[in-house]
Amino acid sequence: MDAKHLRKMSAVAAATAALVIGASAPASASNHLHVELPLVTTAAHGLGCAGDVWAVGNVYPNGPHGQVDLQLKGWLKVFGVPAPWCSVTATVHWRNLDTGATGAASDFLGDGNGFPFWWVAPQIGNLRLHTGPGRVEFTLATDLPHTPSVTTFTVY
């Protein structure tokens, strides 16, 4: 094989490798930013029940604008052991500090909504909040006595 043919084959192989690597990489940087609502320790419905509730989610700098998607998570236990009969309703209250708009959304966590694997993962619920863009204050609460959880972040 002559040097000219070898260079041509090497160039084709390098171009093919670059295309494969480029196609497997994301087209652009992530189109969402991760956000968290801090942990709330709470009483829960059910014999001897208590636990922790928190939320993780996303805001979207590139759209949809003014929207926050949250996944509520709750470990509801009796003496530290996850219990399928425990439940609580978690509520996220929000207030847009730039526009003055307010709102709230709730979801039920518990009573085995993680069945059949309620002991290996927290109970979950999902919320989509339309807060409008701006600095937004979020308060995570439950329908039973709990510790307060307030956080603020920018919604795009």
Side-chain angles (χ1 to χ4, degrees):
M1 182 180 301
D2 65 359
K4 183 178 178 184
H5 187 61
L6 185 58
R7 281 192 303 266
K8 186 176 182 181
M9 285 179 51
S10 295
V12 168
T16 302
L19 285 173
V20 169
I21 291 169
S24 65
S28 64
S30 175
N31 65 351
H32 67 275
L33 297 174
H34 182 77
V35 295
E36 294 185 22
L37 275 58
L39 188 82
V40 168
T41 299
T42 184
H45 299 284
L47 186 61
C49 294
D52 299 312
V53 175
W54 68 99
V56 295
N58 299 311
V59 295
Y60 305 94
N62 299 325
H65 296 289
Q67 177 178 304
V68 180
D69 290 327
L70 293 175
Q71 183 176 64
L72 296 167
K73 296 183 177 191
W75 274 117
L76 305 174
K77 304 173 183 184
V78 175
F79 298 118
V81 178
W85 61 85
C86 298
S87 63
V88 72
T89 298
T91 302
V92 176
H93 301 273
W94 59 267
R95 181 170 53 104
N96 189 315
L97 301 174
D98 296 336
T99 66
T102 62
S106 298
D107 206 352
F108 178 77
L109 304 174
D111 271 351
N113 70 355
F115 183 81
F117 302 109
W118 48 265
W119 63 90
V120 296
Q123 303 292 325
I124 59 170
N126 295 297
L127 299 177
R128 176 164 286 161
L129 307 174
H130 297 282
T131 64
R135 291 176 307 117
V136 181
E137 179 182 86
F138 296 88
T139 303
L140 179 58
T142 70
D143 61 333
L144 292 170
H146 60 278
T147 59
S149 169
V150 179
T151 190
T152 302
F153 53 82
T154 300
V155 177
Y156 298 92

